[in-house]
Amino acid sequence: MLKKIFRVALKIILILILVIIVSALIYASPMIWNRLSIYPKLEKERKELHAKFKKPTDHIKQTDYKGVLHAHSYWSHDSRGVIKEILPAAKKAKLDFLFLSDHARSKLDTFPRGYKGVYDGLIIEPGTESSTGLMISPMNKVVLDWNLPEDQLIKKVVDSGGLVLYVHTEKPHRWANSDYQAMEIYNIHTDLLDNNDGMVPLVLNAAINGKEYGHWAMREIYDEQTVIMARWDSINKTQRIVGMAASDAHNNQNIRARYNKDGMVEWIGPNADLLATVKPGWKEKLLLSEPDEVGWAYKFEVDTYFLSFNFVNTHVFCDNFSNVNIKDNLVAGHVFIAFENLADAKGFQYFSVDDQNEVNAIMGDSISVRSVHKLKAVSPFPVQFKLVKDGEVIDKIDDVYSYEFDSKNKKGNYRIEARLKFGEEYIPWIYTNPIYIANQP
Ligand SMILES: [Zn+2]
């Protein structure tokens, strides 16, 4: 009798184990398929695309510096990022500048703080992010008072040479405020929020594919931000607000461990939360190895700084390489955004010419309808160009390196979207700021 019960119980346990294994395999099958088929194919196409690089002529006199706006370091409660991690990632992503947006630690927010200056050719500018969706780079020595009414604070910062951006533009903002200078038209974190399946499939996919295909795994969160783009276009009909991209890098969707000075091991989990501080046991003996430069003896990382920095960049055409000039040209709208993990966008230009074919305005500029002859764009890779006038696509051409549009006597805000072809699909790669053609510049 006992034997029989034991045999039945064993059978049930074996069946249960089998069911769990099969369910896990079924659950993970799309991620495994990514590894076996989808990502290798995409990667092959990406390499083929990169081989088509042709350096465009420099039409725009200013230099294109690319960087990341809106990123977090150790100064934020939800990041442990230090310069030893940030700098190599930024260099690998070929960034020229990094404007941080660390969460404030108190209502009186003192600047400068954290990192500021030029680090091995990378300009880092400290900034702050409020829970209400403001990013401020004061650029100066200042104490920001978060107790002030928001509009008052914005005006104060802008009047003293600082930069104010609206971030997390999926949330409500005072759009009609006349002082803020730019808004996010793309933010990785915003994009993540509309993924209804949550983090588990993304993390599992990263665990299976992250090492070899990190950028494709990260791109699983991508959706075209049509609502935000439509809002931006509509705001630009009445005021000029620059569109920029946010990485919102935290490097915090990780599990990591390090030794403390007293020999205890600190386990840090997602959102940089402390999971436990323990005496090294069998688990630590098994998992921990020689600490890296920063001190991590174990790490499983999903959203590394490199992957976030390389995902989407803001390109700014500048007169010189300084934090203030980057800020000034950002405010002037001499800006396009690009999804860099598809292809490096340096070389891309959008401008207008007069009847002598001389450049007389670039993205972000206003120009009189009397002096503009043609709008032109050039790309280092073949793209689908779309011309968007006041929010409506009015022209389109596929798979070419350059584009022009006869804009004589045609008022309006004209911006360019450039898409790269992967498979049968054209994927958004670049969004420029508009050239504003008006009666009076
Ligand atoms: Zn943020």
Side-chain angles (χ1 to χ4, degrees):
M1 185 66 183
L2 251 175
K3 243 186 184 173
K4 205 174 175 189
I5 293 172
F6 179 73
R7 265 211 303 269
V8 171
L10 193 69
K11 225 182 208 170
I12 290 171
I13 289 170
L14 283 175
I15 288 170
L16 270 176
I17 291 173
L18 200 68
V19 166
I20 290 170
I21 291 173
V22 170
S23 314
L25 275 175
I26 290 172
Y27 186 78
S29 59
M31 295 85 171
I32 296 166
W33 186 240
N34 281 343
R35 182 167 191 91
L36 298 177
S37 171
I38 308 285
Y39 293 163
K41 209 154 65 192
L42 284 169
E43 195 52 25
K44 188 170 162 271
E45 286 187 48
R46 194 170 81 126
K47 288 212 172 97
E48 283 164 3
L49 174 78
H50 290 181
K52 291 181 185 163
F53 175 82
K54 277 190 207 162
K55 193 185 180 307
T57 314
D58 289 330
H59 299 276
I60 296 178
K61 279 196 206 88
Q62 293 171 299
T63 309
D64 172 357
Y65 292 117
K66 75 172 178 184
V68 159
L69 300 160
H70 189 165
H72 296 263
S73 73
Y74 74 91
W75 197 275
S76 299
H77 63 271
D78 53 0
S79 174
R80 306 262 172 162
V82 290
I83 195 73
K84 277 185 184 167
E85 289 173 303
I86 293 169
L87 192 56
K91 297 306 278 184
K92 194 175 165 194
K94 297 188 193 154
L95 302 188
D96 300 306
F97 64 87
L98 173 64
F99 277 39
L100 294 168
S101 55
D102 284 305
H103 304 295
R105 290 184 186 177
S106 82
K107 285 281 181 189
L108 293 178
D109 203 355
T110 309
F111 282 87
R113 55 156 160 80
Y115 302 119
K116 181 181 171 77
V118 186
Y119 297 76
D120 190 18
L122 174 77
I123 288 180
I124 302 186
E125 187 61 31
T128 184
E129 179 184 9
S130 75
S131 54
T132 56
L134 280 191
M135 176 181 153
I136 294 176
S137 305
M139 313 298 291
N140 294 310
K141 255 190 191 166
V142 70
V143 179
L144 296 181
D145 185 356
W146 286 109
N147 295 303
L148 285 178
E150 192 166 289
D151 286 359
Q152 223 171 301
L153 181 65
I154 294 174
K155 187 157 174 32
K156 213 171 158 182
V157 171
V158 171
D159 284 349
S160 40
L163 176 70
V164 178
L165 315 174
Y166 276 4
V167 299
H168 280 288
T169 47
E170 75 281 10
K171 291 183 187 157
H173 284 74
R174 291 239 310 116
W175 305 111
N177 176 303
S178 56
D179 294 311
Y180 73 104
Q181 296 141 315
M183 65 180 273
E184 288 175 354
I185 55 174
Y186 185 86
N187 174 325
I188 300 176
H189 189 203
T190 297
D191 198 351
L192 183 68
L193 296 174
D194 61 20
N195 283 46
N196 297 326
D197 305 339
M199 284 299 286
V200 177
L202 290 171
V203 171
L204 186 60
N205 188 46
I208 294 172
N209 296 301
K211 229 181 177 160
E212 220 173 326
Y213 301 109
H215 46 281
W216 290 116
M218 187 96 165
R219 276 196 64 86
E220 290 297 336
I221 68 167
Y222 180 78
D223 299 284
E224 213 175 326
Q225 300 294 301
T226 49
V227 175
I228 288 172
M229 291 304 292
R231 177 174 296 128
W232 182 47
D233 284 327
S234 107
I235 293 169
N236 266 329
K237 285 178 189 168
T238 50
Q239 62 191 114
R240 281 165 207 188
I241 296 299
V242 177
M244 38 67 70
S247 131
D248 214 350
H250 284 77
N251 194 19
N252 71 354
Q253 295 309 304
N254 315 316
I255 294 173
R256 298 183 289 188
R258 63 183 166 202
Y259 291 100
N260 283 344
K261 278 197 186 99
D262 59 6
M264 299 285 275
V265 171
E266 196 177 60
W267 283 93
I268 314 284
N271 302 318
D273 289 337
L274 177 67
L275 297 177
T277 307
V278 296
K279 246 193 196 152
W282 66 268
K283 195 165 74 254
E284 285 70 26
K285 282 213 177 84
L286 193 72
L287 294 172
L288 272 55
S289 48
E290 217 21 59
D292 69 7
E293 261 209 300
V294 183
W296 300 115
Y298 172 82
K299 51 184 182 181
F300 166 66
E301 300 180 306
V302 176
D303 63 332
T304 63
Y305 273 120
F306 171 70
L307 287 177
S308 299
F309 289 168
N310 191 226
F311 193 99
V312 65
N313 289 168
T314 300
H315 290 245
V316 187
F317 287 90
C318 297
D319 310 281
N320 59 64
F321 187 56
S322 70
N323 57 346
V324 173
N325 202 255
I326 291 167
K327 177 238 140 192
D328 286 345
N329 281 289
L330 180 73
V331 171
H334 298 154
V335 168
F336 68 85
I337 74 163
F339 293 94
E340 294 284 325
N341 54 13
L342 298 175
D344 188 334
K346 272 202 183 176
F348 190 95
Q349 295 155 75
Y350 170 49
F351 51 94
S352 71
V353 295
D354 61 18
D355 51 9
Q356 303 297 309
N357 207 25
E358 293 288 327
V359 175
N360 57 5
I362 69 167
M363 61 209 94
D365 288 339
S366 301
I367 181 124
S368 154
V369 71
R370 285 185 305 279
S371 42
V372 67
H373 187 64
K374 272 179 181 164
L375 297 174
K376 289 190 175 187
V378 291
S379 164
F381 300 102
V383 292
Q384 177 191 68
F385 285 102
K386 277 185 176 178
L387 183 66
V388 182
K389 182 195 178 192
D390 300 323
E392 304 292 329
V393 177
I394 60 158
D395 197 20
K396 193 183 85 157
I397 179 168
D398 292 347
D399 308 322
V400 290
Y401 286 88
S402 65
Y403 169 77
E404 58 178 63
F405 177 76
D406 187 343
S407 52
K408 238 183 283 172
N409 303 321
K410 292 170 190 157
K411 277 191 293 178
N413 306 336
Y414 295 86
R415 62 175 179 82
I416 293 275
E417 288 183 17
R419 289 165 192 251
L420 295 167
K421 197 174 187 189
F422 280 90
E424 288 311 302
E425 221 188 317
Y426 285 99
I427 303 178
W429 178 43
I430 284 174
Y431 294 97
T432 74
N433 272 261
I435 291 177
Y436 301 87
I437 305 180
N439 282 336
Q440 297 296 326

